[in-house]
Amino acid sequence: MRITIKDIARKVGVTPATVSMVINNNPKISIATRERVQKAIKEMNYRPNFTGRSLVKGRTNNIALVAPLMSSFFTMEIVRGVESKISGTEYNLVLYSTINKEKSISEICYEGRADGVIFVSVKPDDDMLKDFERMEIPAVFVEEVVDGFPGVKFNNVKGAYVATEYLLKTKRKNIGIIIGKEGMWVTERLKGYRDALEDNDVEFKPERVARVSDDTFGEGKEALRKLLKENKKLDAVFCASGDITAVGVIQEARQLKINVPEELGVVGFDDIYLSGLTHPAITTVNQPEFEMGTKAFELLMEVLTSSDKKVKKVISFDPELVIRDST
Amino acid sequence: MRITIKDIARKVGVTPATVSMVINNNPKISIATRERVQKAIKEMNYRPNFTGRSLVKGRTNNIALVAPLMSSFFTMEIVRGVESKISGTEYNLVLYSTINKEKSISEICYEGRADGVIFVSVKPDDDMLKDFERMEIPAVFVEEVVDGFPGVKFNNVKGAYVATEYLLKTKRKNIGIIIGKEGMWVTERLKGYRDALEDNDVEFKPERVARVSDDTFGEGKEALRKLLKENKKLDAVFCASGDITAVGVIQEARQLKINVPEELGVVGFDDIYLSGLTHPAITTVNQPEFEMGTKAFELLMEVLTSSDKKVKKVISFDPELVIRDST
DNA sequence: TTGTATGCGTTATCAA
DNA sequence: TTGATAACGCATACAA
């Protein structure tokens, strides 16, 4: 027995239209009726129905967020960033997982579920992308940036560059890299690594690259063993795949009685919460996920409120090398 | 220029009602028209509008989740658990932060924004609670369980008991505890600690309790120093406030040249991801947040689909002591 | 088998 | 200043 605008109208003895105008602070309503209506609203604890309002207004007040939530800390931090900004606005955040990626995306695109969408590490196929434009649903891309859309990205090339450069500065010459198997970030970080080597006249050697399929403890341990087998004089490892890989590397080194940082320098990537808490604390490339999330939301708001809807700004975040004890 | 059911109807030369029946697989429609309609739907890439459907059906297909997202890993894991179950269903997950707790809760209660709600570590006040029943919005409570509502909780008393008991078994007698300042869990874990001491004829001493306001690295360090000052023979610390506290304790001990576990046994709480990765790896009480999340969603679905709406089941998760190297 | 009419809860336009 | 009416997109009971 949900209370509607009609119940209030009946109780006060006016029409629903009048009640609606009171709710929306329409100045045309006389103070007398306004007060009677407001009194009834309070008494009955009435609040306008969200769905009814959405239908007539043609907007949902929902922001969709599509992200591989299940797979990484990275994504969760971005969600927190978005969340921190969205509360206080009139918008709600609706989560869509990438488990049924196509389904999620098409629901957002064709079913009018959201006024805007934030994609994190996800890209709809080209047809769908066109449809988002056609449907005039503003979209912002985080990490995986798409041409013609606003986005928030991280300078992976530079991040890998400064990490490698720092290892070179600390007199290490035989620097291995542990990195993922595919994705834009893999290409970019590998480029940063190679650029730094080249700029410092150190030869790039393919056997110093170890591939992992995920940023995990176990993969880190395994990758170090592989690198050591193929590189007898290895004196540093850049864990471009992430900090958890770095933790694995450090632990494996401990087991192999290799001192970190004396015999082996280790640099991670991401600067997740635990990186400063391990022993030795991990030197790493800070990637400000939280801020990237807040920025993504701000960008989306900019599109949503701007008149031309043609905001295509791409914000790039620069890395910061956080030097701790593992180098 | 959004496509509606009318556009399809016009194109095919039938009425919207017919199109609607095709969409909903109403068997009354002849195969011939059904196919013509479906063809048009495909051609125009039509999908029924979510809001319109919600309004007429009287249900939103949204599940609200209210949680202190910003403050803990714990909560994020629960979100992941819920998320893992919800994708694949017809429901969407809408996040509500606790930054504007009252506002969030009343929106869900009075504005028809969701078909059900999951509260994590949050409890609406009593009036609102009654209103949730009145509005017939199913609610499930996680962690902070509420009388008369279904819930998912964790056996904190037992968790603290087994942790303390294990320390006693390893021949430590002067066991400090680091714990929060308020909340049901604080009372419960403290009780488990005291019960274990009592059952083993060890006297409880107030000076062995250190209070922290959050599960953080810094608070852990500080708490250890305080405990050591007041307890010269301290030989173990139970970090009931969480694993991050335990990391802080271990690091502070290292700085003070106190060997863990030889001179000081350390047990944490939660078993977060990093607990197994530190050195020494932390012995801790596993709290299955992810599973608690999945269970909360399953419970909510049970209420949503059951006829009587009076499911009041409370699922209790038992602790598991994960023994690693810090004890 | 299909069309007509009505309603879900709200807002907006126009008339009174 | 307020009321009557239509509309948002869809589903359903009933009529044809």
Side-chain angles (χ1 to χ4, degrees):
Chain A
M1 195 217 37
R2 190 148 254 149
I3 297 159
T4 74
I5 206 169
K6 288 179 194 165
D7 299 317
I8 304 293
R10 203 175 312 128
K11 172 156 183 170
V12 180
V14 292
T15 59
T18 307
V19 178
S20 173
M21 292 173 111
V22 171
I23 294 166
N24 294 288
N25 291 316
N26 190 317
K28 287 192 234 170
I29 302 297
S30 71
I31 298 189
T33 46
R34 169 181 309 268
E35 280 176 352
R36 279 164 54 221
V37 170
Q38 280 169 338
K39 183 158 163 284
I41 288 178
K42 270 229 178 79
E43 276 176 23
M44 306 190 70
N45 239 320
Y46 166 76
R47 296 274 285 274
N49 177 280
F50 195 64
T51 310
R53 204 171 230 184
S54 294
L55 187 61
V56 65
K57 288 248 188 188
R59 49 180 292 201
T60 63
N61 279 10
N62 284 153
I63 300 300
L65 188 142
V66 188
L69 282 183
M70 307 315 295
S71 65
S72 69
F73 286 91
F74 178 86
T75 313
M76 277 315 217
E77 271 304 293
I78 293 177
V79 174
R80 286 162 65 118
V82 174
E83 179 61 36
S84 76
K85 277 286 170 187
I86 204 169
S87 64
T89 74
E90 56 189 329
Y91 289 96
N92 286 116
L93 190 63
V94 187
L95 257 38
Y96 288 83
S97 84
T98 49
I99 300 178
N100 295 304
K101 185 185 147 189
E102 303 303 333
K103 178 166 165 277
S104 294
I105 295 177
S106 74
E107 282 176 357
I108 298 165
C109 186
Y110 300 117
E111 297 181 2
R113 288 165 178 255
D115 300 338
V117 54
I118 297 175
F119 291 102
V120 181
S121 310
V122 174
K123 179 184 169 310
D125 62 46
D126 291 344
D127 288 350
M128 198 74 83
L129 228 38
K130 285 207 192 77
D131 283 340
F132 270 100
E133 281 187 315
R134 209 161 48 80
M135 298 293 186
E136 294 180 18
I137 301 172
V140 171
F141 290 82
V142 181
E143 214 212 12
E144 194 100 0
V145 170
V146 172
D147 257 9
F149 285 88
V152 177
K153 63 176 190 174
F154 178 74
N155 194 332
N156 279 298
V157 177
K158 194 165 171 187
Y161 190 97
V162 295
T164 310
E165 187 183 47
Y166 180 73
L167 284 169
L168 289 165
K169 267 194 204 143
T170 58
K171 304 295 171 212
R172 329 220 191 206
K173 295 278 173 236
N174 306 298
I175 304 170
I177 181 172
I178 301 176
I179 197 161
K181 288 177 176 154
E182 53 183 3
M184 188 58 91
W185 66 272
V186 170
T187 316
E188 290 168 351
R189 292 182 196 175
L190 205 51
K191 173 167 166 41
Y193 167 76
R194 295 187 66 154
D195 286 357
L197 291 181
E198 192 175 322
D199 290 354
N200 289 273
D201 302 315
V202 176
E203 192 191 352
F204 168 79
K205 297 191 178 167
E207 67 268 26
R208 293 205 180 134
V209 180
R211 301 280 182 167
V212 292
S213 45
D214 255 319
D215 178 28
T216 67
F217 188 63
E219 296 247 26
K221 300 184 85 149
E222 201 176 317
L224 176 62
R225 234 177 281 140
K226 177 176 171 296
L227 283 175
L228 285 170
K229 200 161 67 185
E230 297 177 10
N231 303 274
K232 299 298 169 197
K233 304 202 295 183
L234 192 81
D235 56 15
V237 181
F238 169 37
C239 302
S241 49
D243 284 335
I244 299 178
T245 304
V247 176
V249 165
I250 289 174
Q251 294 256 7
E252 188 66 15
R254 196 194 316 273
Q255 285 200 334
L256 296 172
K257 310 278 181 213
I258 300 172
N259 277 330
V260 175
E262 294 80 2
E263 299 169 77
L264 188 77
V266 177
V267 177
F269 212 107
D270 289 344
D271 195 22
I272 61 177
Y273 190 78
L274 82 91
S275 310
L277 308 185
T278 55
H279 183 82
I282 302 170
T283 294
T284 188
V285 179
N286 177 273
Q287 188 170 8
E289 297 100 354
F290 191 92
E291 286 72 21
M292 289 169 73
T294 63
K295 203 68 205 175
F297 181 72
E298 285 173 5
L299 262 182
L300 189 57
M301 283 303 108
E302 209 176 314
V303 186
L304 242 21
T305 56
S306 85
S307 44
D308 66 351
K309 307 280 171 204
K310 290 293 170 203
V311 180
K312 290 181 178 178
K313 217 184 294 182
V314 172
I315 311 282
S316 183
F317 278 79
D318 264 0
E320 183 201 353
L321 186 67
V322 182
I323 297 167
R324 298 209 180 92
D325 312 323
S326 65
T327 48
Chain B
M1 191 217 39
R2 188 146 256 148
I3 297 159
T4 75
I5 207 169
K6 288 180 194 164
D7 299 317
I8 304 293
R10 202 175 313 127
K11 172 157 183 169
V12 181
V14 292
T15 60
T18 306
V19 178
S20 173
M21 292 173 112
V22 171
I23 294 166
N24 294 287
N25 290 315
N26 190 318
K28 289 191 235 172
I29 302 297
S30 72
I31 298 189
T33 47
R34 169 182 309 268
E35 280 174 352
R36 280 164 52 222
V37 170
Q38 280 169 340
K39 184 158 163 284
I41 287 178
K42 270 230 178 78
E43 276 177 22
M44 305 191 70
N45 238 321
Y46 167 76
R47 297 273 286 274
N49 177 281
F50 196 64
T51 310
R53 203 170 231 188
S54 294
L55 188 60
V56 65
K57 289 245 190 190
R59 47 181 294 201
T60 63
N61 279 10
N62 285 153
I63 300 299
L65 189 141
V66 188
L69 283 182
M70 307 315 295
S71 65
S72 71
F73 286 91
F74 178 86
T75 312
M76 279 316 223
E77 271 306 293
I78 293 177
V79 173
R80 285 162 66 119
V82 174
E83 179 62 36
S84 76
K85 277 285 169 185
I86 206 170
S87 63
T89 74
E90 56 190 327
Y91 289 97
N92 287 116
L93 191 63
V94 186
L95 257 38
Y96 288 83
S97 84
T98 50
I99 301 178
N100 295 306
K101 186 185 145 189
E102 302 304 330
K103 177 164 165 277
S104 295
I105 295 177
S106 74
E107 282 176 357
I108 298 165
C109 186
Y110 301 116
E111 297 181 3
R113 288 164 178 255
D115 300 337
V117 53
I118 297 174
F119 291 102
V120 182
S121 310
V122 174
K123 180 185 168 310
D125 61 46
D126 291 343
D127 289 350
M128 198 73 84
L129 228 37
K130 286 206 192 78
D131 283 339
F132 271 100
E133 281 188 313
R134 209 160 49 79
M135 299 291 188
E136 294 179 18
I137 301 172
V140 172
F141 290 82
V142 181
E143 214 212 12
E144 194 101 0
V145 170
V146 172
D147 257 9
F149 286 88
V152 177
K153 63 176 189 174
F154 178 73
N155 195 332
N156 279 299
V157 178
K158 194 166 170 185
Y161 190 98
V162 295
T164 310
E165 187 184 49
Y166 180 73
L167 285 170
L168 289 165
K169 267 193 205 144
T170 58
K171 306 293 171 212
R172 330 220 191 206
K173 296 279 172 234
N174 306 299
I175 305 170
I177 181 171
I178 302 175
I179 197 160
K181 288 178 176 154
E182 53 184 1
M184 189 59 90
W185 66 272
V186 170
T187 316
E188 290 170 352
R189 292 182 195 174
L190 205 51
K191 174 168 165 42
Y193 167 76
R194 295 187 67 154
D195 286 356
L197 291 182
E198 191 175 324
D199 290 354
N200 289 273
D201 302 314
V202 176
E203 193 191 351
F204 168 79
K205 297 190 179 168
E207 66 267 26
R208 293 204 180 134
V209 180
R211 302 280 181 166
V212 292
S213 45
D214 255 319
D215 178 28
T216 66
F217 189 63
E219 297 246 26
K221 301 185 86 149
E222 202 176 316
L224 176 63
R225 233 176 283 140
K226 177 176 172 294
L227 283 176
L228 285 170
K229 200 160 66 182
E230 298 177 9
N231 303 276
K232 297 299 169 198
K233 303 203 296 183
L234 192 80
D235 55 15
V237 180
F238 169 36
C239 302
S241 48
D243 284 336
I244 299 177
T245 303
V247 175
V249 166
I250 288 173
Q251 295 255 9
E252 188 65 16
R254 195 193 316 272
Q255 285 201 335
L256 297 172
K257 309 279 182 214
I258 300 171
N259 277 331
V260 175
E262 294 81 0
E263 299 170 78
L264 188 76
V266 177
V267 177
F269 212 107
D270 290 346
D271 196 21
I272 60 177
Y273 190 79
L274 83 90
S275 310
L277 308 184
T278 55
H279 184 81
I282 301 170
T283 294
T284 187
V285 179
N286 178 274
Q287 187 168 7
E289 297 99 353
F290 191 92
E291 286 73 22
M292 288 168 74
T294 62
K295 203 67 204 176
F297 181 72
E298 285 173 5
L299 261 182
L300 189 57
M301 284 302 109
E302 210 177 312
V303 186
L304 243 21
T305 56
S306 84
S307 45
D308 67 350
K309 307 279 174 206
K310 289 294 171 200
V311 180
K312 290 181 179 178
K313 218 185 294 182
V314 172
I315 311 283
S316 182
F317 278 78
D318 265 359
E320 183 200 352
L321 186 67
V322 181
I323 297 167
R324 299 208 179 93
D325 312 324
S326 65
T327 48

